Amino acid sequence: SLHRPKIVVGKQYRDEKISLKPGAVNETLSGPQEKVIRSLSMWKSLGHDEPTREMVAAVAGYRMSGGFATLLSTLKTPGLINYPSAGKISLGSMSLPMTEEEGARMLRGTLNGPQHQVLMALHFNTMTRQELAEKTGRQMSGGFATLLSTLKTPGLIEYPSSGLVKRSDWVNKIIGAMQ
């Protein structure tokens, strides 16, 4: 099995430390903390310097909960993240430099097959939910509504008006790297 060093903020271990930003204080991160920093770095590379908590949680693999709030506080206290406005998060003293292409690939890696299929089916078009369901071989159901909500929460799709779905403009910009 692959050895992964133990990494915890504020404590010294003999195992290797990971520095995510050249010149930064050599902070160390737990696995969950690293997921949040990677999520924020990805969003920043895609032009979202202040993503919502929901966007960060979705990419980091978490649900909005008290546990996620506690995780964020472990990053806020040492200044690794900031809360620039209500519901928004930004990187503080630590970041992971990432190109737009790397960010797009990381975002693609967080999507499951059905989510990716829906994004590809929308292809710069606005369509009804029914048309989208048919185009992706799905039925209008609670499961399909849940699938769409998993794309809406991180801002990948939008509902421009009742019953209509479209891919967010910023997703259209990076979609080539996501295929």
Side-chain angles (χ1 to χ4, degrees), residues 9 16 19 25 27-28 30 36 56 66 77 80 90 96 112 117 142 146-147 154 162-163 169 173:
V9 167
E16 178 183 348
S19 176
V25 175
E27 299 290 346
T28 53
S30 68
V36 171
V56 174
T77 300
L80 303 178
S90 66
L96 175 64
N112 63 32
Q117 183 185 30
T146 299
L147 171 60
S162 182
D169 292 339
K173 180 180 164 198

Side-chain angles (χ1 to χ4, degrees), residues 9-10 25 27-29 33 71-82 92-94:
V9 167
V25 175
E27 299 290 346
T28 53
L29 301 174
Q33 291 168 327
L71 172 58
L72 293 179
S73 73
T74 68
L75 292 165
K76 170 77 170 112
T77 300
L80 303 178
I81 65 169
N82 298 309
S93 65
M94 181 178 279

Side-chain angles (χ1 to χ4, degrees), residues 3-4 6 18 23 35 50 58-59 68-69 73 75 81 106 109 112 116 126 141 146 173-174 177:
H3 171 70
R4 180 183 170 123
K6 177 110 177 140
I18 297 176
K35 287 179 183 179
E50 298 178 1
V59 169
F68 184 66
S73 73
L75 292 165
I81 65 169
M106 182 178 165
N112 63 32
H116 187 253
T126 298
S141 65
T146 299
K173 180 180 164 198
I174 64 159

Side-chain angles (χ1 to χ4, degrees), residues 27-178:
E27 299 290 346
T28 53
L29 301 174
S30 68
Q33 291 168 327
E34 184 178 339
K35 287 179 183 179
V36 171
I37 295 296
R38 287 187 183 283
S39 175
L40 281 162
S41 297
M42 184 215 72
W43 285 117
K44 184 174 183 171
S45 76
L46 299 176
H48 296 276
D49 290 346
E50 298 178 1
T52 65
R53 288 175 180 241
E54 292 84 2
M55 292 166 76
V56 174
V59 169
Y62 294 100
R63 294 192 175 132
M64 294 299 293
S65 67
F68 184 66
T70 300
L71 172 58
L72 293 179
S73 73
T74 68
L75 292 165
K76 170 77 170 112
T77 300
L80 303 178
I81 65 169
N82 298 309
Y83 302 136
S85 60
K88 304 276 186 157
I89 307 173
S90 66
L91 287 164
S93 65
M94 181 178 279
S95 67
L96 175 64
M98 193 178 297
T99 66
E100 184 177 275
E101 184 176 325
E102 290 168 334
R105 282 196 312 264
M106 182 178 165
L107 180 58
R108 169 61 179 105
T110 69
L111 301 176
N112 63 32
Q115 290 168 325
H116 187 253
Q117 183 185 30
V118 166
L119 283 180
M120 294 302 109
L122 284 167
H123 190 69
F124 298 99
N125 297 320
T126 298
M127 57 181 70
T128 67
R129 289 178 188 224
Q130 181 66 45
E131 290 168 331
L132 181 58
E134 290 170 7
K135 190 167 186 175
T136 58
R138 303 194 182 289
Q139 295 180 4
M140 290 292 292
S141 65
F144 185 67
T146 299
L147 171 60
L148 294 181
S149 75
T150 66
L151 294 168
K152 173 120 176 56
T153 297
L156 302 175
I157 64 170
E158 300 171 7
Y159 303 136
S161 61
S162 182
L164 295 179
V165 183
K166 74 172 219 154
R167 214 165 43 194
S168 296
D169 292 339
W170 69 268
V171 175
N172 289 331
K173 180 180 164 198
I174 64 159
I175 202 71
M178 289 179 59

